[in-house]
Amino acid sequence: SPSPKKKKKTPSKETNGKTKKKGDAAPAKKKAATKKKAASSAASVSSATKSTSNSTTDYKSASAALYGSDCEKGLLIQRLLCRWWYAMEWPDPAVIPAQPPKHYDPLDGFPGVYVCTEGEDVGAIKDFRDKGTCPNFINMAKKSSEELQTLLIKALKEQQRQLIEAEGTGTETQKELDNLIKWANKIKPSAADKAAEKVLKAAKLSLD
């Protein structure tokens, strides 16, 4: 007698030549969700870190506050201190002794500073420079933004003049100096002063 017909098995659906099993798609979705959650968490941490770093309560000094907040007066000071010698002379030659003190020699590169080279005080330093006019943060910060703006533009133009004299025109540095001059010219001194005062007040700091 004829043998009973065998039922044909219906082939399972395949994806890319592989048998698709139940639950295969779930891990992919779970992985995507996990990745999205991780990215969201990282963004939150980054945002929190940025918020913390910008908080005025974190500033420990006036220089940190004015530099860290990127206020215009802080930038004027920072950019002037990088090139002050193009705009001002310090120390004032009038305060430097005509002759070094006895047993002292001038310290190379530091006009107005002398080092003892003879006697019991060998190595001792005598500094005749005027600290009140020294080009440092505090002295610059006590100036108005208008004066800082004038000094910075003067320094940038002199730096540019010397650069062109030495290397010619069209250098990348010349372009950078051009951009800085344009930036400095756009500063509104009164607004810059008010913004700096606001930053220091919020941080409970002063220049004294």
Side-chain angles (χ1 to χ4, degrees):
S1 61
S3 58
K5 292 182 179 180
K6 295 182 178 179
K7 292 183 179 179
K8 291 183 179 180
K9 293 183 178 179
T10 304
S12 60
K13 293 182 180 178
E14 294 184 354
T15 305
N16 296 329
K18 294 183 180 180
T19 302
K20 188 176 181 181
K21 296 180 180 179
K22 187 177 180 181
D24 278 358
K29 289 182 180 178
K30 187 175 181 180
K31 187 176 181 181
T34 303
K35 189 175 181 181
K36 187 176 181 181
K37 186 176 180 181
S40 176
S41 177
S44 297
V45 171
S46 175
S47 177
T49 302
K50 187 175 181 181
S51 176
T52 302
S53 64
N54 288 336
S55 173
T56 54
T57 57
D58 291 337
Y59 298 131
K60 305 299 181 184
S61 66
S63 59
L66 293 186
Y67 291 161
S69 64
D70 283 339
C71 71
E72 289 181 331
K73 185 170 183 177
L75 289 172
L76 282 170
I77 296 168
Q78 203 169 34
R79 290 168 179 175
L80 176 57
L81 287 177
C82 291
R83 49 181 64 82
W84 64 266
W85 51 93
Y86 290 110
M88 52 191 289
E89 185 176 21
W90 186 85
D92 182 349
V95 304
I96 299 176
Q99 296 294 329
K102 188 177 181 180
H103 303 315
Y104 281 76
D105 289 329
L107 187 62
D108 290 342
F110 296 89
V113 181
Y114 303 89
V115 58
C116 183
T117 55
E118 187 180 341
E120 297 180 356
D121 296 326
V122 170
I125 297 290
K126 283 190 176 182
D127 189 348
F128 292 92
R129 298 174 300 177
D130 183 3
K131 307 302 186 297
T133 59
C134 171
N136 58 23
F137 170 79
I138 289 296
N139 288 336
M140 292 297 180
K142 288 180 179 179
K143 296 180 183 296
S144 67
S145 291
E146 184 176 10
E147 186 177 357
L148 292 171
Q149 180 186 42
T150 300
L151 285 170
L152 177 58
I153 292 172
K154 180 181 178 181
L156 289 166
K157 287 183 175 179
E158 177 59 21
Q159 182 181 359
Q160 191 176 65
R161 185 193 69 77
Q162 292 187 27
L163 173 70
I164 293 173
E165 190 176 277
E167 300 182 18
T169 60
T171 62
E172 285 301 314
T173 303
Q174 184 188 350
K175 293 176 184 176
E176 290 173 7
L177 293 173
D178 274 333
N179 289 333
L180 282 174
I181 291 171
K182 290 176 183 176
W183 171 83
N185 276 315
K186 290 179 181 178
I187 296 291
K188 294 182 179 179
S190 58
D193 283 334
K194 288 178 182 178
E197 289 172 7
K198 187 176 180 181
V199 168
L200 293 176
K201 185 176 180 180
K204 296 180 180 179
L205 294 167
S206 70
L207 298 174
D208 299 326

